[in-house]
Amino acid sequence: MGSEKLWKIVHYLKAHPTITPRQVKRLLGCDCRKANDQLNYLHQRGVVANVGKHRHPEYRLKHNGELKIQPLRVKAEQASACAQVNVITDICRQKWAGYQIHKIFGSART
């Protein structure tokens, strides 16, 4: 689970030494329960360590802790112009006139 919210917390911890659930609440714009759940999830995965007390938790990023959660997915790139040209030639081959032209000139793929 490599969500954007988890990575916001990790990036905040790279810039600052510690983070509390109240700071996560302000950072993510969520309620206290969700902030605690996010930090507990990161603690269970071994990304952060609780250095505070039981009633006043503070979390610190462990060494190479960000490697234990999945990176964000990169969006797929658009299809190139060559792929569109090949689609046109494939449609052309399905018709008899197109077949005759390709028979004379050969298959010209780019």
Side-chain angles (χ1 to χ4, degrees):
M1 181 175 151
S3 69
E4 293 178 17
K5 292 180 180 181
L6 295 177
W7 279 104
K8 278 186 182 179
I9 296 170
V10 170
H11 290 306
Y12 182 87
L13 282 170
K14 285 183 179 180
H16 301 88
T18 60
I19 192 167
T20 62
R22 190 170 288 174
Q23 290 171 333
V24 172
K25 178 183 169 184
R26 275 188 258 128
L27 180 69
L28 302 180
C30 60
D31 60 345
C32 295
R33 176 68 184 237
K34 183 70 174 176
N36 281 325
D37 289 344
Q38 294 285 331
L39 287 171
N40 284 334
Y41 179 81
L42 290 173
H43 181 69
Q44 288 174 353
R45 293 287 174 203
V47 178
V48 296
N50 188 355
V51 295
K53 297 178 182 176
H54 178 67
R55 294 270 180 183
H56 304 284
E58 287 186 1
Y59 293 91
R60 181 171 289 154
L61 187 66
K62 286 186 176 180
H63 180 67
N64 290 332
E66 66 272 5
L67 299 177
K68 295 181 180 179
I69 56 175
Q70 295 177 358
L72 290 175
R73 294 184 181 135
V74 179
K75 294 182 180 179
E77 296 180 10
Q78 297 277 337
S80 64
C82 295
Q84 293 174 353
V85 171
N86 291 339
V87 171
I88 293 170
T89 57
D90 290 338
I91 293 171
C92 186
R93 284 191 190 117
Q94 293 175 357
K95 300 187 185 228
W96 181 251
Y99 173 76
Q100 293 295 329
I101 292 171
H102 283 288
K103 188 176 173 184
I104 295 169
F105 294 109
S107 180
R109 290 192 182 251
T110 57

